[in-house]
């Protein structure tokens, strides 16, 4: 599986499990589950977590 695809699938899975959760809780899940090599910055993680927190799936899947 291509790295980008794995990243999107991981974000998609977290979005399905964590929709509606507080942003810090979602950030914790992202940090635990995404590979260190994802290249995402802290700001990226926060934006993704904010989307998931309001029930959106930012993965595009």
């Amino acid at each position: 599986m291509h790295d980008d695809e794995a990243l999107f699938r991981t974000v998609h899975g977290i979005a399905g499990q964590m929709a509606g959760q507080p942003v810090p809780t979602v950030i914790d899940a992202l940090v635990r589950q995404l590979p260190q090599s994802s290249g995402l910055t802290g700001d990226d993680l926060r934006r993704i977590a904010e989307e998931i927190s309001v029930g959106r799936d930012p993965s595009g899947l």
Side-chain angles (χ1 to χ4, degrees), residues 2-61:
H2 190 271
D3 288 343
D4 287 343
E5 184 180 346
L7 176 66
F8 293 134
R9 288 190 182 283
T10 301
V11 169
H12 178 70
I14 293 170
Q17 296 169 1
M18 307 289 298
Q21 296 296 313
V23 170
T25 303
V26 179
I27 290 173
D28 287 344
L30 290 167
V31 168
R32 280 193 319 275
Q33 295 182 41
L34 290 174
Q36 293 269 336
S37 62
S38 68
L40 296 174
T41 66
D43 288 340
D44 295 332
L45 291 174
R46 182 162 224 13
R47 279 192 296 274
I48 292 167
E50 288 170 349
E51 291 288 313
I52 293 171
S53 183
V54 297
R56 295 188 194 113
D57 180 356
S59 73
L61 297 178

